[in-house]
Amino acid sequence: MAAQFGRRLRKGAATTAVAAVAVAALSASQAPGVNDHGRQTAADATPSPDASASDGSATGNSPYYTDLPPLKSPNPSPSTGTGTAAPGTTEAGIPATVLDAYKKAETALNEAKPGCNLPWQLLAAIGRVESGQARGGRVDADGTTISPILGPQLDGNGFALIRDTDDGAYDGNSSYDQAVGPMQFIPSTWKWAGRDGNADGKKDPNNIYDAALAAGHYLCRFDWDLSDQDDLDRAILSYNNSREYLNLVMRWVEYYRKGTHEIPDGTGTLPDNRSDDGAGASPSPSTPNTPNTPTTPGPGGSKPKPSPKPEKPGGGTTTPKPPTDPGSTPTTPPSAPPTNTDTVDHLEDAGTAKLTAMAGDAFTKRISTRAETKAGKAVGKVRVRFTIIGDTDTTFTGGENVATVATNSSGVAVAPALQAGEKTGGVTVRATVVGRTVAGLDYTATVTERAADALARTGDAALTCTPGGEFANQVEVKATYGGAVADGVAATATLIKSADDPAVADKGPYFKDADGKAVRTLKALKTDAKGLLKLPKLYADDTTGTFLLRINTAGGATLTVELTVAAAETSSPSPSTSPSASPGA
């Protein structure tokens, strides 16, 4: 049976305000780093305007659990065993499989994106707030939740309006999106952020290994350094764009940093309070409860919640239709007002310059796309998704192949910078509107091979040899491009006949191949990370004279090196001096 979260109630009711004040006061009492003078920590500081990045959020800003960490420190950690846990230990502990998933995700991100410095405690804090650690660790041996965990449908009724993007594939809802799984990804985000964390060949948002790894990559996608509090704030806000959410997640991060312990799967305690349940409000007397119909309290009253939805084959759910009074006239619910996204008719290029970069370099120009109405007017606050498609290793900065950016007041979304990979050729980047079916707009970027525009020897020692001998010095050159080191540049070295005849020489100096045979052309050479290229040893046959070695690189750099083969100089013996005969000898 899918676990359905209740709807997030609209802000403004008195009971919600009172509850918020109470939670804020308790939060402050447990805030990490708050001193006796009440100074705020970095987690409490107002985020910068771009703190939420441009993705909207991973969860669609769905509801979350608001329970605060226990006041008592999790240390000392009780031992993990099969017996009954001491009172309160399950609240502080993390189910074994869930904890393993967080730590494996941390390890994977430390290898893939070491500059991000992702701590597993951040994943644990988000997992606690989003799903109560996969509903107390109710997962199978592979880490998949026993039953789907679904947020409310994002139909604009107290929530964001996100129309269906997956045809119900993940959430069983073909009308609106719902957050899915232990890390509560909305389908449109999971489509590009999903990862296979348990190496089973699938990307399943209901699997804690897949979801934790996806969350790690999501939090690290903008080259943020999560050891920096400002970047950490931005990453958390990009997950769920709420100041209260940021503060709450930071409370749990600090709590888990002090220590935690592993508990058996399925024994974790479920949180009691959610951001959408009115915290302490009483049911409205005008809406009596009916048998088997649980209610969700809200400000000034409550509306009955429907019975749990029956499962569809394959794990989806169907929404039961409300009973109809035969004697009444059916009424059509008022339609939601059109959103900015609904008004988008097409995408236009917004002056993107030519996109070209050498392999391994960052593109200096960025893609700009403008969202417009049918009349050509700009549409702001619309999410545009940029996707790199095709067989290429070019990515956006940060290593992702998808980026979602909100249009500004001029209707323009600027994609992150592209980072060229090693594969050369054309790269296609497609811009589409999230939540709206309009034609995509394709951009072509070109990755050229690494090049050098200058070559120079690193030494000036003469290159000489005697016939049939071996040159004492090896040829080493340095390649540059625009004065900077040119690494990984392809090069060819050829012993040529003359300056006017670049044909391969048939006599004179030579290299040796793996079998010791003479070769006079070397291909597939590459400069190293410092732009250096050191050629193999050179040998000479019996021909004497001056010979030329020509080195060419991609990009047109050329260097000709002179080689001399001459017989060794022989020194004539000094004339002997005979002693003069003595007179009379």
Side-chain angles (χ1 to χ4, degrees):
M1 190 76 67
Q4 293 283 342
F5 292 157
R7 295 179 177 277
R8 183 198 297 260
L9 299 177
R10 298 184 183 277
K11 297 180 180 179
T15 52
T16 302
V18 171
V21 170
V23 170
L26 183 55
S27 298
S29 71
Q30 303 184 70
V34 176
N35 61 22
D36 294 338
H37 301 287
R39 295 194 185 99
Q40 290 180 317
T41 64
D44 296 315
T46 302
S48 59
D50 65 342
S52 62
S54 53
D55 256 41
S57 76
T59 68
N61 297 326
S62 293
Y64 52 88
Y65 287 112
T66 59
D67 294 47
L68 291 162
L71 289 172
K72 187 177 180 181
S73 170
N75 287 328
S77 299
S79 59
T80 303
T82 56
T84 303
T89 58
T90 55
E91 185 176 16
I94 300 177
T97 299
V98 178
L99 180 59
D100 183 57
Y102 296 149
K103 291 185 175 181
K104 278 185 167 58
E106 178 194 55
T107 299
L109 264 297
N110 284 343
E111 294 177 358
K113 299 180 180 178
C116 180
N117 294 305
L118 173 82
W120 67 260
Q121 291 89 346
L122 175 59
L123 298 176
I126 291 175
R128 169 73 187 196
V129 169
E130 291 294 347
S131 68
Q133 309 297 20
R135 298 186 59 78
R138 289 164 177 80
V139 296
D140 63 19
D142 295 324
T144 302
T145 56
I146 301 301
S147 60
I149 301 174
L150 298 175
Q153 66 176 16
L154 300 175
D155 56 6
N157 184 19
F159 309 99
L161 175 59
I162 303 179
R163 303 189 190 281
D164 176 62
T165 61
D166 66 330
D167 198 25
Y170 294 119
D171 54 15
N173 189 334
S174 58
S175 298
Y176 301 95
D177 271 355
Q178 295 174 247
V180 181
M183 302 304 277
Q184 288 291 279
F185 279 97
I186 53 174
S188 58
T189 301
W190 182 261
K191 184 177 180 180
W192 61 265
R195 293 292 192 280
D196 179 12
N198 60 350
D200 65 352
K202 298 183 294 184
K203 299 176 183 178
D204 182 3
N206 297 296
N207 182 277
I208 185 59
Y209 288 99
D210 294 1
L213 184 60
H217 277 279
Y218 184 92
L219 294 164
C220 292
R221 71 197 184 286
F222 286 130
D223 272 353
W224 284 324
D225 178 0
L226 302 188
S227 64
D228 176 84
Q229 188 64 52
D230 289 339
D231 278 358
L232 180 58
D233 288 355
R234 292 183 179 95
I236 295 171
L237 285 168
S238 78
Y239 209 88
N240 191 312
N241 190 13
S242 160
R243 170 68 179 275
E244 291 78 11
Y245 182 89
L246 165 64
N247 290 341
L248 180 61
V249 168
M250 280 307 304
R251 302 292 176 269
W252 280 103
V253 168
E254 293 303 323
Y255 181 77
Y256 287 135
R257 279 174 175 166
K258 294 175 183 176
T260 186
H261 57 278
E262 177 184 297
I263 59 175
D265 289 344
T267 64
T269 57
L270 287 178
D272 296 322
N273 304 298
R274 290 191 59 78
S275 60
D276 59 341
D277 65 9
S282 58
S284 168
S286 62
T287 311
N289 295 340
T290 57
N292 300 322
T293 306
T295 60
T296 301
S302 63
K303 294 183 180 180
K305 287 177 64 178
S307 301
K309 297 179 182 180
E311 292 190 0
K312 292 198 299 186
T317 60
T318 57
T319 304
K321 294 182 179 179
T324 303
D325 182 355
S328 64
T329 303
T331 58
T332 302
S335 58
T339 65
N340 286 20
T341 300
D342 294 332
T343 66
V344 177
D345 176 76
H346 59 274
L347 294 174
E348 290 284 346
D349 176 50
T352 302
K354 185 177 181 181
L355 300 167
T356 303
M358 284 196 298
D361 288 352
F363 283 75
T364 57
K365 306 298 182 182
R366 296 165 68 179
I367 295 171
S368 296
T369 300
R370 176 180 159 100
E372 297 183 352
T373 65
K374 190 172 184 179
K377 293 184 177 180
V379 185
K381 297 182 179 180
V382 171
R383 291 186 297 158
V384 175
R385 178 171 296 130
F386 297 95
T387 306
I388 300 172
I389 59 179
D391 182 18
T392 178
D393 54 358
T394 292
T395 65
F396 291 111
T397 303
E400 305 294 343
N401 60 7
V402 177
T404 305
V405 181
T407 58
N408 60 20
S409 58
S410 300
V412 176
V414 180
L418 287 165
Q419 175 67 43
E422 294 302 321
K423 292 183 178 179
T424 59
V427 177
T428 300
V429 181
R430 179 165 298 161
T432 56
V433 179
V434 177
R436 177 77 167 162
T437 304
V438 298
L441 186 60
D442 285 354
Y443 294 84
T444 299
T446 303
V447 179
T448 62
E449 64 180 333
R450 294 172 183 255
D453 57 12
L455 280 174
R457 281 189 64 194
T458 59
D460 56 5
L463 299 167
T464 61
C465 182
T466 58
E470 172 183 308
F471 283 81
N473 298 309
Q474 290 177 245
V475 177
E476 183 181 66
V477 298
K478 183 174 183 178
T480 56
Y481 187 87
V485 167
D487 62 313
V489 177
T492 301
T494 306
L495 290 151
I496 60 176
K497 289 185 175 181
S498 68
D500 298 325
D501 185 357
V504 180
D506 53 8
K507 58 183 178 179
Y510 60 91
F511 299 103
K512 288 183 179 180
D513 63 13
D515 297 325
K517 294 180 179 179
V519 293
R520 291 187 169 87
T521 298
L522 297 178
K523 298 180 180 179
L525 302 172
K526 276 193 176 182
T527 59
D528 65 14
K530 296 180 180 179
L532 300 176
L533 174 63
K534 191 170 187 177
L535 298 181
K537 286 185 177 182
L538 278 162
Y539 302 86
D541 60 15
D542 293 333
T543 309
T544 59
T546 300
F547 303 90
L548 300 179
L549 169 66
R550 182 161 291 171
I551 305 170
N552 298 303
T553 69
T558 299
L559 177 67
T560 302
V561 180
E562 190 173 279
L563 308 172
T564 302
V565 179
E569 293 183 4
T570 57
S571 56
S572 55
S574 300
S576 59
T577 303
S578 301
S580 300
S582 299

